[in-house]
Amino acid sequence: MAAERPAGDVAVGTRVALVTGGSYQRGTVRYVGHVEAENPSKSGMYYGVEWDDASRGKHNGTFNNKEYFTCRAPTSGSFVKMTSKKLTFGSTVVDAIRERYADDRASDEIATPSNVVDSQGNRMTVKIIGKDGVAAVRTRKHGMAKEQGAGSPLT
């Protein structure tokens, strides 16, 4: 399940998904804010979403003759109330790794996203080290290979 975010954390450009009938309808937030309706009960805070599938929406970002956002296609836009639980939001890489690989049976042990389980159920540690970390590992391995000589398992 993707992350739930408070409205203040969702910006224009955020990718979203709507699960319908077991499939995902994906889109991009194009508007975050108040929408005024003729019926006061329908006015409120909404996300304006432009769907990837142009036939998914109901309009082009215009509601009651007011343009809130624009869409590529005339039927690719929708408004979704901020209080709705229909939308899911993208995850960070760390959250996605944790969600996909974290061992639910040992949730008290998972203090960081580094404790993961592979597809065969084997526990492993993943460390995100970045570009500088990769360069340091390469340098260490290259130095070890020189010390061990040609034909070593590290060359």
Side-chain angles (χ1 to χ4, degrees):
M1 174 181 290
E4 288 187 28
R5 296 185 188 177
D9 288 349
V10 178
V12 170
T14 300
R15 295 288 292 164
V16 296
L18 177 91
V19 181
T20 55
S23 66
Y24 282 95
Q25 297 288 322
R26 298 184 192 282
T28 304
V29 174
R30 299 291 184 211
Y31 175 79
V32 178
H34 190 267
V35 173
E36 194 64 40
E38 291 176 10
N39 179 344
S41 69
K42 295 199 179 212
S43 293
M45 299 299 285
Y46 285 82
Y47 298 115
V49 178
E50 179 179 14
W51 300 105
D52 295 351
D53 175 0
S55 66
R56 168 66 186 91
K58 296 180 180 178
H59 54 72
N60 64 355
T62 300
F63 180 72
N64 283 343
N65 297 317
K66 181 175 179 184
E67 184 180 273
Y68 290 91
F69 62 99
T70 59
C71 294
R72 294 179 315 251
T75 59
S76 62
S78 294
F79 287 105
V80 181
K81 278 198 172 220
M82 287 185 183
T83 56
S84 172
K85 300 293 182 188
K86 293 179 182 180
L87 290 181
T88 59
F89 301 92
S91 301
T92 65
V93 170
V94 171
D95 288 341
I97 290 170
R98 178 183 289 131
E99 181 179 316
R100 173 66 176 93
Y101 296 106
D103 184 353
D104 291 336
R105 294 166 292 171
S107 61
D108 57 330
E109 297 176 21
I110 302 171
T112 68
S114 61
N115 296 318
V116 298
V117 176
D118 70 11
S119 61
Q120 284 80 38
N122 301 311
R123 190 178 292 273
M124 68 175 80
T125 300
V126 174
K127 184 176 181 183
I128 300 173
I129 59 175
K131 182 176 77 170
D132 294 338
V134 170
V137 168
R138 284 183 178 165
T139 300
R140 282 194 307 269
K141 284 188 177 184
H142 182 71
M144 288 173 25
K146 281 185 177 180
E147 289 175 15
Q148 295 195 3
S152 75
L154 296 175
T155 56

